[in-house]
Amino acid sequence: MNASYIALGCLVLFALAYRFYARYISTKIFQLDLLNEEKTPALKYEDGIDFVPTRKEILIGHHFSSIAGAAPIVGPAVAAIWGWVPAILWIVFGVIFIGACHDFGTLFVSMKNNGKSIAEFTEGLLGLRTKYLFLIIIFFLVWMVIAVFTLVIANLFISYPASVIPINFEIIVAVLLGLYINHHKGDLKIPSILAQIGLIIMVFVGTKYPISLDPLFGQSSLMAWIIFLLIYSFIASVLPVWMLLQPRDFINSHQLFLGLGLLLVGLFVTSPTIVAPAINPNPVGAPPWFPFLFITIACGAISGFHGLVSGGTTSKQIQKWTDARPIGYGSMLGEGLLALIATLAVTAGFESKALWHNHYATWNAANGLSAKINAFVTGSSKFLNSIGISEDISQTFIAVLIISFAATSLDTACRIQRYIIAEFGDVTGVKVLKNRYIGSSIAVLSALFLMLTSDGGKGGLHLWPLFGATNQMLAGLSLIIISVYLYKNRRPCKSFLIPAFFILAMTFMSLVLNIQHYLNEKKFLLLVLGVFLTLSQLWIIIESFFLLKNLKNK
């Protein structure tokens, strides 16, 4: 099968979904057109730190970059072992009917409730007890996100030292751009174009002058990068959003569009044949594809973390209600496109079937997760080579792209964790937790503790299966909460309730299988977390069921 035909067909489906299904949700369910006379939370509570009215084009960049982390690359790269057909089908239809609806819905509900997070909103809907459960689930999820993404970026800096200079250049330029936007309110076109040109130049510079910490730290280079990244995350999470978060994400969004555009052009020019099997249901050492496919490809199809971004930062910055459609639904389609390209890169980027089968011989072949990311870099580089970009520059460019995605999700996660810790401070009466410096310190130090507890910084990767299940569980529960809200307000809710049942069923089955595995392997910390998360999921579903029943009887 020619990969370019698959890409073209999926692009058409995404365009039709935005044109028709997103408009149906926007006008018939959320009725956004009727709300533009009502002030958004960004205008009601403007404070210059978290509530900041922001132009749509900048906010799309922030939201898109924040949700488009490393997971939509890693997930498809791992799930390709079961074959390209199930991966593509889940990405396309998962995004259209579940993931994009989830992101749009969590954004809308948060905006309608003064920028509250899903946990805060749940208290008013289902009570304080359920809010506690949501807060704990979210804390565990974001805890794992910070740990895993920090470790992924650190490993990429070690594997691709040419990426160090471009990434640090990007941070410096983002701060300068943020200061320019805030103080001069100038046009962004020229500064953003100059930033992209400078970043491309730095890709060449970084390729010629790679930076490695090995001469200074030796075997401790991984931990050194982890410490540096957590310090950066702390700083990013306490600064006003206009100073670093917004301009960095704005730059990243252009970088993302440029990268996706080049990869698509390269894909169509190359027109490679997919060498991976269409269906490979029983690979050696792999868990069953059903239900684990729907957990492994998380962010590329649906992700609970996206709801935290929607309700944590994005809902506090939207100026117009109608902006929620392109930001919420449209950005998730963009993430689906990234996951689609990742799938095609690792299934059509190999020179032969033999090489693919050698790389994917077993579930843990070629050092597991790191090898899957490298497969994406190699496959994507092949697409860029076809349009005249040399192999070393291509690999640096792709590595910078992945790190940029992961870094925006990382600093957004730290900010969200600060919000969650502040909410714990509210419900427990411990006011010091509401201090943003204390909250951010707890966020980064707890993630560091997680990585230190296992094998010199590799603890985050040991949590990846539980991270995927927790991520999808939160997404399913958020869809339940959106459905209850819509039902309570006499709005159609089937577009959210049916996907909620499906994703929660997949999550429940995978959690049960994970618990059995942890018990057999005597991984007691993961066992306790898995059991707790499973029981919490059942509790929230039961609470929601009784609320729906009571509403129906009224």
Side-chain angles (χ1 to χ4, degrees), residues 17 42 57 74 119 131 136 214 252 255 270 285 324 335 357 377 391 411 448 452 456:
E57 62 271 18
V74 176
K131 177 185 178 179
I136 294 171
D214 289 349
N252 282 347
Q255 183 185 352
T270 308
E335 174 138 355
H357 282 285
V377 174
E391 184 177 353
D411 50 32
L448 177 62
L452 287 173

Side-chain angles (χ1 to χ4, degrees), residues 35-289:
L35 294 174
N36 270 336
E37 297 301 318
E38 180 182 329
K39 283 188 175 181
T40 64
L43 295 172
K44 282 184 185 178
Y45 307 109
E46 182 176 359
D47 60 8
I49 298 175
D50 295 318
F51 290 87
V52 180
T54 306
R55 281 175 280 182
K56 179 174 64 175
E57 62 271 18
I58 298 177
L59 196 51
I60 287 176
H62 156 69
H63 187 78
F64 192 12
S65 299
S66 295
I67 66 173
I73 294 171
V74 176
V78 174
I81 197 170
W82 290 304
W84 65 268
V85 169
I88 294 292
L89 290 177
W90 171 231
I91 289 169
V92 173
F93 293 103
V95 165
I96 291 173
F97 295 108
I98 306 181
C101 294
H102 165 272
D103 290 15
F104 194 4
T106 51
L107 182 59
F108 171 77
V109 168
S110 178
M111 290 176 67
K112 284 297 290 181
N113 290 273
N114 299 320
K116 289 182 179 179
S117 70
I118 191 70
E120 288 180 294
F121 171 65
T122 299
E123 178 183 359
L125 201 63
L126 297 176
L128 187 60
R129 184 173 54 210
T130 308
K131 177 185 178 179
Y132 288 153
L133 289 175
F134 251 102
L135 283 175
I136 294 171
I137 291 170
I138 293 170
F139 179 86
F140 281 137
L141 173 60
V142 180
W143 183 44
M144 288 183 271
V145 167
I146 296 171
V148 171
F149 278 35
T150 299
L151 186 54
V152 166
I153 297 171
N155 274 300
L156 282 167
F157 276 145
I158 291 173
S159 299
Y160 301 96
S163 64
V164 175
I165 288 178
I167 291 297
N168 284 276
F169 170 81
E170 183 180 349
I171 294 171
I172 295 170
V173 170
V175 173
L176 295 175
L177 186 59
L179 292 170
Y180 173 80
I181 295 171
N182 188 65
H183 292 293
H184 298 286
K185 309 296 182 183
D187 184 40
L188 290 173
K189 291 180 182 178
I190 300 300
S192 62
I193 291 172
L194 292 176
Q196 289 305 307
I197 293 173
L199 185 59
I200 292 171
I201 293 172
M202 287 301 111
V203 168
F204 285 88
V205 173
T207 303
K208 188 172 182 179
Y209 302 103
I211 294 179
S212 172
L213 297 184
D214 289 349
L216 292 175
F217 297 97
Q219 297 294 322
S220 301
S221 293
L222 178 65
M223 187 52 60
W225 278 122
I226 288 172
I227 297 295
F228 290 153
L229 287 165
L230 290 177
I231 291 172
Y232 160 76
S233 300
F234 171 84
I235 295 171
S237 66
V238 298
L239 289 176
V241 291
W242 58 263
M243 185 174 289
L244 178 59
L245 190 68
Q246 285 182 350
R248 176 186 169 87
D249 291 349
F250 185 66
I251 294 171
N252 282 347
S253 67
H254 287 79
Q255 183 185 352
L256 175 61
F257 293 134
L258 175 63
L260 288 177
L262 290 175
L263 287 172
L264 278 174
V265 171
L267 173 63
F268 287 120
V269 169
T270 308
S271 280
T273 299
I274 297 177
V275 297
I279 300 176
N280 185 32
N282 298 304
V284 177
W289 77 270

Side-chain angles (χ1 to χ4, degrees), residues 171-469:
I171 294 171
I172 295 170
V173 170
V175 173
L176 295 175
L177 186 59
L179 292 170
Y180 173 80
I181 295 171
N182 188 65
H183 292 293
H184 298 286
K185 309 296 182 183
D187 184 40
L188 290 173
K189 291 180 182 178
I190 300 300
S192 62
I193 291 172
L194 292 176
Q196 289 305 307
I197 293 173
L199 185 59
I200 292 171
I201 293 172
M202 287 301 111
V203 168
F204 285 88
V205 173
T207 303
K208 188 172 182 179
Y209 302 103
I211 294 179
S212 172
L213 297 184
D214 289 349
L216 292 175
F217 297 97
Q219 297 294 322
S220 301
S221 293
L222 178 65
M223 187 52 60
W225 278 122
I226 288 172
I227 297 295
F228 290 153
L229 287 165
L230 290 177
I231 291 172
Y232 160 76
S233 300
F234 171 84
I235 295 171
S237 66
V238 298
L239 289 176
V241 291
W242 58 263
M243 185 174 289
L244 178 59
L245 190 68
Q246 285 182 350
R248 176 186 169 87
D249 291 349
F250 185 66
I251 294 171
N252 282 347
S253 67
H254 287 79
Q255 183 185 352
L256 175 61
F257 293 134
L258 175 63
L260 288 177
L262 290 175
L263 287 172
L264 278 174
V265 171
L267 173 63
F268 287 120
V269 169
T270 308
S271 280
T273 299
I274 297 177
V275 297
I279 300 176
N280 185 32
N282 298 304
V284 177
W289 77 270
F290 185 90
F292 278 95
L293 170 72
F294 305 99
I295 304 305
T296 304
I297 300 180
C299 296
I302 177 172
S303 169
F305 178 73
H306 295 185
L308 303 184
V309 176
S310 293
T313 59
T314 307
S315 65
K316 298 177 176 64
Q317 300 174 62
I318 292 183
Q319 289 189 121
K320 293 175 59 179
W321 287 92
T322 49
D323 290 349
R325 178 186 172 193
I327 293 170
Y329 197 97
S331 293
M332 186 57 205
L333 291 179
E335 174 138 355
L337 176 59
L338 175 60
L340 171 67
I341 291 176
T343 304
L344 296 176
V346 299
T347 56
F350 289 84
E351 296 295 335
S352 67
K353 291 183 179 180
L355 287 175
W356 188 91
H357 282 285
N358 180 63
H359 195 87
Y360 283 91
T362 67
W363 181 250
N364 293 315
N367 298 320
L369 195 59
S370 296
K372 304 304 182 290
I373 298 176
N374 291 339
F376 171 75
V377 174
T378 302
S380 299
S381 297
K382 179 183 174 182
F383 298 159
L384 296 185
N385 292 161
S386 69
I387 54 176
I389 302 176
S390 65
E391 184 177 353
D392 56 347
I393 296 297
S394 296
Q395 291 197 358
T396 301
F397 180 79
I398 296 299
V400 168
L401 205 64
I402 300 172
I403 293 170
S404 296
F405 297 160
T408 52
S409 294
L410 175 61
D411 50 32
T412 299
C414 286
R415 184 175 291 266
I416 290 171
Q417 192 76 310
R418 169 165 71 83
Y419 296 156
I420 298 304
I421 291 168
E423 289 184 42
F424 275 121
D426 271 336
V427 299
T428 60
V430 183
K431 301 301 181 184
V432 69
L433 294 179
K434 299 179 69 174
N435 181 285
R436 70 177 186 266
Y437 299 102
I438 298 295
S440 294
S441 297
I442 294 172
V444 299
L445 290 175
S446 62
L448 177 62
F449 170 78
L450 173 62
M451 287 180 282
L452 287 173
T453 55
S454 178
D455 199 12
K458 297 178 183 176
L461 291 183
H462 294 165
L463 287 169
W464 188 270
L466 190 58
F467 157 70

Side-chain angles (χ1 to χ4, degrees), residues 9-39:
C10 293
L11 285 172
V12 171
L13 289 174
F14 284 165
L16 292 174
Y18 184 79
R19 174 66 177 82
F20 295 104
Y21 197 54
R23 186 172 67 172
Y24 164 75
I25 294 171
S26 176
T27 58
K28 301 299 182 182
I29 299 179
F30 296 153
Q31 300 176 357
L32 294 183
D33 294 340
L34 305 179
L35 294 174
N36 270 336
E37 297 301 318
E38 180 182 329
K39 283 188 175 181

